[in-house]
Amino acid sequence: MAERFHTPPPFPAARLRRARRTAPLRALVRETGLSPEDLIWPLFLLEGEGRREAVESMPGVERLSIDLAVEAARAAVGLGIPAICLFPKTDPAKKSDACEEAWSPDNLTNRAIRALKAEVPEIAVMTDIALDPYNPAGHDGYLKGGEIVNDETVEALVKMALAQAEAGADILGPSDMMDGRIGAIRGALEEAGHRDVLILSYAAKYASAFYGPFRDAVGARAALEGAEIKGAAKGDKSTYQMDPANSDEALRLVARDLAEGADMVMVKPGMPYLDVCRRVKEAFGVPTFAYQVSGEYAMIEGAAARGWIDGERAMLESLLAFKRAGCNGILTYYAPRVARLLGG
Ligand code: PBG
């Protein structure tokens, strides 16, 4: 886009500070903005009724029972937030090597989707497709002989996707990084008549240290750190998630997922990968999202709690950065707080 630049005349004809002098002048020349409509709110679910549970490593974030998630969704609509994304904390007794709970029509996520679609039809409901909340090994795919097996996992993911679509999900979010899953899911959705279900592919998802608090929130951390896997350390998903050193590969993954039928794509984590967001948006021009993940949230909140940074300003600045980088929207645990602040 550099060719669009007008070279400023020499000083003093150009004094770029002129337009920064007052708040209204700055508002007038502002290039990007943040609105509640840019937000997808990730919500953690737990069993029961009238129950809320703090997530210790994410101050201010709670797991909610379905009835309270419905209330939260209603509040989100009032704040102008267009979508929520559901993540279940599965009862350990329901985890199994075959991960059958993942496609049970009555699992926590699918019951929540039905309740939300019945009670708060104004909000779009997004889901996560990966086996980690259901897998005793804590991994996103089946662990066999020390490896995360691809094709068997994709078969399970397809069943999971169909169950979520059947329950009424608007947007499916495959976050597992297996090969071939977008095509398989899209084909199965078409065949089952779910023609209008969107796929927001976690296309460029990196093997990141910033997911730690999320793994606490869904109860997958201990299992993951105990699982032996070939080619990676315990607790490390590097045999399927991306190498943080790569960015061309992100473009190949996005191209691949779009060709297989994804409607929208995501880069994850967010702030350490803004360069990737920018490249994806410029290369493809498709709806592009970033996930400001649990560890990014925890860093800002941790520093703010100690008085080391101004938490509110850091929140706004971090979210605006995604818009500046070209993202259409952001998955963020800050969604309700920032929407309230923006006057939604
Ligand atoms: C798992 C999944 C993860 C997140 C969303 N889906 C964690 C992982 O890959 O280990 C991370 C979200 C966050 O850290 O906020 N399929």
Side-chain angles (χ1 to χ4, degrees):
M1 296 213 284
E3 69 277 7
R4 290 189 5 215
F5 279 121
H6 154 70
T7 309
F11 178 84
R15 287 182 185 269
L16 292 171
R17 287 186 55 194
R18 284 183 200 121
R20 291 183 215 137
R21 191 173 51 87
T22 66
L25 292 174
R26 289 192 293 275
L28 214 52
V29 299
R30 189 159 294 138
E31 298 173 32
T32 53
L34 183 67
S35 124
E37 292 185 348
D38 301 325
L39 307 170
I40 299 177
W41 183 18
L43 271 188
F44 295 113
L45 300 170
L46 88 169
E47 288 291 353
E49 229 186 79
R51 287 184 67 209
R52 53 176 80 243
E53 209 173 77
V55 179
E56 215 175 304
S57 48
M58 301 176 74
V61 172
E62 295 175 317
R63 304 179 189 93
L64 301 175
S65 56
I66 292 177
D67 54 325
L68 298 186
V70 165
E71 274 177 32
R74 221 172 258 133
V77 169
L79 290 166
I81 297 169
I84 54 174
C85 183
L86 305 177
F87 294 99
K89 183 176 184 207
T90 307
D91 176 355
K94 294 202 167 144
K95 297 188 185 187
S96 66
D97 290 335
C99 303
E100 289 119 329
E101 183 65 6
W103 55 90
S104 160
D106 293 319
N107 72 19
L108 184 54
T109 296
N110 291 332
R111 275 180 283 131
I113 298 169
R114 285 198 191 85
L116 287 159
K117 292 319 292 180
E119 312 234 2
V120 197
E122 306 92 319
I123 204 154
V125 176
M126 175 172 167
T127 56
D128 191 70
I129 300 182
L131 299 180
D132 53 320
Y134 310 98
N135 191 347
H139 275 285
D140 294 18
Y142 289 129
L143 177 59
K144 290 198 178 146
E147 284 172 23
I148 303 302
V149 293
N150 193 87
D151 300 10
E152 292 92 324
T153 298
V154 170
E155 283 174 31
L157 299 174
V158 166
K159 290 188 240 177
M160 195 174 170
L162 287 173
Q164 292 173 351
E166 200 56 48
D170 298 290
I171 306 170
L172 307 182
S175 71
D176 52 283
M177 291 295 281
M178 297 300 121
D179 285 319
R181 89 274 203 222
I182 301 297
I185 290 170
R186 178 54 78 206
L189 288 173
E190 283 292 326
E191 206 169 302
H194 297 297
R195 301 197 179 106
D196 294 329
V197 175
L198 288 104
I199 298 177
L200 169 44
S201 168
Y202 288 61
K205 178 173 176 182
Y206 288 84
S208 172
F210 291 100
Y211 306 148
F214 173 96
R215 292 173 187 172
D216 292 333
V218 299
R221 190 202 281 256
L224 185 66
E225 288 174 358
E228 287 281 358
I229 169 167
K230 289 183 202 155
K234 285 184 174 182
D236 181 356
K237 298 187 176 179
S238 296
T239 72
Y240 47 106
Q241 298 180 345
M242 277 182 72
D243 183 340
N246 296 352
S247 119
D248 286 344
E249 186 189 1
L251 300 191
R252 294 176 69 202
L253 286 163
V254 167
R256 190 268 313 262
D257 285 2
L258 290 171
E260 289 185 17
D263 303 281
M264 311 183 274
V265 295
M266 192 199 299
V267 174
K268 176 183 176 188
M271 207 146 74
Y273 298 91
L274 288 177
D275 58 321
V276 179
C277 297
R278 166 55 64 193
R279 284 192 78 187
V280 167
K281 187 63 184 180
E282 288 194 347
F284 299 98
V286 298
T288 302
F289 292 79
Y291 198 141
Q292 182 181 50
V293 301
S294 56
E296 298 177 66
Y297 174 89
M299 279 197 305
I300 296 175
E301 286 306 290
R306 286 162 183 77
W308 293 344
I309 58 172
D310 178 332
E312 196 166 284
R313 287 188 60 190
M315 165 181 81
L316 284 167
E317 186 178 331
S318 66
L319 292 169
L320 188 62
F322 294 111
K323 295 299 297 295
R324 194 192 61 240
C327 293
N328 296 85
I330 310 122
L331 286 95
T332 175
Y333 302 99
Y334 281 125
R337 200 168 136 200
V338 76
R340 227 170 276 126
L341 204 68
L342 294 170

Short mmCIF file of all heavy atoms in Angstrom, two decimals, residues 87 128 130 132 140 175 202 205 210-211 214-215 237 241 268 291 293-294 333, ligand 1:
data_model
loop_
_atom_site.label_atom_id
_atom_site.label_comp_id
_atom_site.label_asym_id
_atom_site.label_seq_id
_atom_site.Cartn_x
_atom_site.Cartn_y
_atom_site.Cartn_z
N PHE A 87 -16.90 -22.77 25.01
CA PHE A 87 -15.87 -23.74 25.37
C PHE A 87 -16.30 -24.47 26.64
O PHE A 87 -16.50 -23.83 27.67
CB PHE A 87 -14.53 -23.05 25.61
CG PHE A 87 -13.95 -22.41 24.38
CD1 PHE A 87 -14.10 -21.04 24.16
CD2 PHE A 87 -13.26 -23.16 23.45
CE1 PHE A 87 -13.57 -20.44 23.02
CE2 PHE A 87 -12.73 -22.57 22.31
CZ PHE A 87 -12.88 -21.22 22.09
N ASP A 128 -16.36 -24.55 19.19
CA ASP A 128 -14.99 -25.00 18.98
C ASP A 128 -15.04 -26.45 18.52
O ASP A 128 -15.78 -27.24 19.09
CB ASP A 128 -14.21 -24.88 20.29
CG ASP A 128 -12.73 -25.09 20.09
OD1 ASP A 128 -12.08 -24.21 19.49
OD2 ASP A 128 -12.19 -26.13 20.53
N ALA A 130 -12.57 -29.51 18.29
CA ALA A 130 -11.28 -30.12 18.63
C ALA A 130 -11.60 -31.09 19.76
O ALA A 130 -12.60 -30.91 20.47
CB ALA A 130 -10.26 -29.08 19.09
N ASP A 132 -9.81 -31.77 22.52
CA ASP A 132 -9.13 -31.59 23.82
C ASP A 132 -10.03 -31.57 25.06
O ASP A 132 -9.63 -32.09 26.10
CB ASP A 132 -8.18 -30.38 23.80
CG ASP A 132 -8.83 -29.10 23.34
OD1 ASP A 132 -9.65 -29.14 22.40
OD2 ASP A 132 -8.55 -28.03 23.91
N ASP A 140 -5.76 -32.25 20.99
CA ASP A 140 -6.87 -31.92 20.09
C ASP A 140 -7.25 -33.10 19.19
O ASP A 140 -8.30 -33.08 18.55
CB ASP A 140 -6.51 -30.73 19.20
CG ASP A 140 -6.34 -29.45 20.02
OD1 ASP A 140 -6.18 -29.55 21.25
OD2 ASP A 140 -6.39 -28.36 19.43
N SER A 175 -10.47 -25.86 15.54
CA SER A 175 -9.27 -25.28 16.14
C SER A 175 -8.18 -26.31 16.32
O SER A 175 -7.20 -26.11 17.01
CB SER A 175 -9.61 -24.68 17.52
OG SER A 175 -9.87 -25.72 18.44
N TYR A 202 -9.69 -21.93 12.32
CA TYR A 202 -8.47 -21.52 12.99
C TYR A 202 -7.36 -21.97 12.03
O TYR A 202 -6.76 -23.01 12.20
CB TYR A 202 -8.28 -22.24 14.31
CG TYR A 202 -9.20 -21.86 15.46
CD1 TYR A 202 -10.58 -22.01 15.38
CD2 TYR A 202 -8.65 -21.40 16.66
CE1 TYR A 202 -11.39 -21.70 16.47
CE2 TYR A 202 -9.46 -21.08 17.75
CZ TYR A 202 -10.83 -21.24 17.65
OH TYR A 202 -11.62 -20.95 18.73
N LYS A 205 -2.91 -21.37 13.37
CA LYS A 205 -2.87 -21.46 14.83
C LYS A 205 -1.50 -21.97 15.25
O LYS A 205 -1.08 -23.06 14.84
CB LYS A 205 -3.97 -22.41 15.32
CG LYS A 205 -3.96 -22.59 16.83
CD LYS A 205 -5.15 -23.40 17.30
CE LYS A 205 -5.07 -23.64 18.78
NZ LYS A 205 -6.19 -24.48 19.26
N PHE A 210 1.04 -19.06 25.06
CA PHE A 210 -0.01 -18.15 25.53
C PHE A 210 -1.37 -18.82 25.75
O PHE A 210 -2.33 -18.16 26.07
CB PHE A 210 -0.15 -16.97 24.55
CG PHE A 210 1.03 -16.05 24.56
CD1 PHE A 210 2.01 -16.14 23.57
CD2 PHE A 210 1.21 -15.11 25.56
CE1 PHE A 210 3.12 -15.29 23.58
CE2 PHE A 210 2.31 -14.26 25.58
CZ PHE A 210 3.27 -14.35 24.59
N TYR A 211 -1.46 -20.15 25.53
CA TYR A 211 -2.73 -20.84 25.76
C TYR A 211 -2.84 -21.39 27.19
O TYR A 211 -3.85 -22.01 27.53
CB TYR A 211 -2.92 -22.03 24.80
CG TYR A 211 -2.79 -21.70 23.33
CD1 TYR A 211 -2.28 -22.63 22.43
CD2 TYR A 211 -3.20 -20.47 22.82
CE1 TYR A 211 -2.16 -22.36 21.08
CE2 TYR A 211 -3.08 -20.18 21.47
CZ TYR A 211 -2.55 -21.13 20.60
OH TYR A 211 -2.43 -20.86 19.27
N PHE A 214 -6.08 -20.88 29.32
CA PHE A 214 -7.23 -21.54 28.69
C PHE A 214 -7.26 -23.02 29.06
O PHE A 214 -8.31 -23.58 29.36
CB PHE A 214 -7.16 -21.39 27.17
CG PHE A 214 -8.20 -22.17 26.40
CD1 PHE A 214 -9.36 -21.57 25.99
CD2 PHE A 214 -7.99 -23.52 26.08
CE1 PHE A 214 -10.32 -22.28 25.27
CE2 PHE A 214 -8.94 -24.24 25.38
CZ PHE A 214 -10.10 -23.62 24.96
N ARG A 215 -6.09 -23.64 29.06
CA ARG A 215 -6.04 -25.07 29.38
C ARG A 215 -6.45 -25.31 30.82
O ARG A 215 -7.05 -26.35 31.14
CB ARG A 215 -4.65 -25.63 29.06
CG ARG A 215 -4.39 -25.62 27.55
CD ARG A 215 -2.97 -26.01 27.16
NE ARG A 215 -2.77 -25.82 25.72
CZ ARG A 215 -1.59 -25.92 25.12
NH1 ARG A 215 -0.52 -26.23 25.82
NH2 ARG A 215 -1.50 -25.73 23.81
N LYS A 237 2.05 -28.92 21.58
CA LYS A 237 1.24 -29.35 20.44
C LYS A 237 1.93 -29.09 19.09
O LYS A 237 1.27 -28.96 18.06
CB LYS A 237 -0.13 -28.66 20.49
CG LYS A 237 -0.94 -29.00 21.75
CD LYS A 237 -2.36 -28.42 21.70
CE LYS A 237 -3.18 -28.86 22.91
NZ LYS A 237 -4.56 -28.30 22.90
N GLN A 241 0.18 -27.94 15.66
CA GLN A 241 0.07 -26.47 15.59
C GLN A 241 1.35 -25.89 14.98
O GLN A 241 2.39 -26.54 14.92
CB GLN A 241 -0.18 -25.91 16.99
CG GLN A 241 -1.49 -26.43 17.58
CD GLN A 241 -1.78 -25.90 18.97
OE1 GLN A 241 -0.92 -25.35 19.65
NE2 GLN A 241 -3.02 -26.08 19.41
N LYS A 268 -4.07 -17.03 15.35
CA LYS A 268 -4.10 -17.23 16.79
C LYS A 268 -2.76 -17.71 17.28
O LYS A 268 -2.21 -18.62 16.67
CB LYS A 268 -5.19 -18.27 17.09
CG LYS A 268 -5.28 -18.69 18.52
CD LYS A 268 -6.32 -19.75 18.67
CE LYS A 268 -6.32 -20.20 20.11
NZ LYS A 268 -7.15 -21.35 20.34
N TYR A 291 -7.50 -14.09 17.48
CA TYR A 291 -7.92 -14.51 18.82
C TYR A 291 -6.91 -13.93 19.81
O TYR A 291 -5.75 -14.32 19.82
CB TYR A 291 -7.94 -16.03 18.89
CG TYR A 291 -8.72 -16.64 20.04
CD1 TYR A 291 -9.48 -17.79 19.85
CD2 TYR A 291 -8.72 -16.08 21.32
CE1 TYR A 291 -10.20 -18.37 20.89
CE2 TYR A 291 -9.45 -16.65 22.35
CZ TYR A 291 -10.18 -17.81 22.13
OH TYR A 291 -10.90 -18.38 23.16
N VAL A 293 -5.71 -14.40 22.93
CA VAL A 293 -5.89 -15.60 23.73
C VAL A 293 -5.70 -15.36 25.22
O VAL A 293 -5.30 -14.27 25.66
CB VAL A 293 -4.97 -16.75 23.24
CG1 VAL A 293 -5.24 -17.09 21.78
CG2 VAL A 293 -3.49 -16.41 23.46
N SER A 294 -5.97 -16.44 25.96
CA SER A 294 -5.98 -16.38 27.42
C SER A 294 -4.70 -15.80 28.01
O SER A 294 -4.76 -14.99 28.94
CB SER A 294 -6.22 -17.79 27.97
OG SER A 294 -5.25 -18.70 27.47
N TYR A 333 -11.64 -12.09 25.56
CA TYR A 333 -12.30 -12.20 26.87
C TYR A 333 -12.72 -10.83 27.39
O TYR A 333 -13.47 -10.72 28.34
CB TYR A 333 -11.36 -12.91 27.86
CG TYR A 333 -10.98 -14.29 27.34
CD1 TYR A 333 -9.76 -14.51 26.69
CD2 TYR A 333 -11.87 -15.35 27.42
CE1 TYR A 333 -9.44 -15.75 26.16
CE2 TYR A 333 -11.56 -16.59 26.90
CZ TYR A 333 -10.35 -16.78 26.27
OH TYR A 333 -10.05 -18.01 25.73
C1 PBG B 1 -8.13 -26.06 21.81
C2 PBG B 1 -8.17 -24.57 21.91
C3 PBG B 1 -7.21 -23.83 22.57
C4 PBG B 1 -7.66 -22.51 22.54
C5 PBG B 1 -8.87 -22.48 21.85
N1 PBG B 1 -9.16 -23.79 21.44
C6 PBG B 1 -5.99 -24.23 23.30
C7 PBG B 1 -4.99 -25.12 22.69
O1 PBG B 1 -4.86 -25.23 21.48
O2 PBG B 1 -4.28 -25.73 23.48
C8 PBG B 1 -6.91 -21.39 23.19
C9 PBG B 1 -7.67 -20.18 23.57
C10 PBG B 1 -6.98 -19.31 24.56
O3 PBG B 1 -5.83 -19.56 24.99
O4 PBG B 1 -7.62 -18.32 24.94
N2 PBG B 1 -8.58 -26.65 20.71
#
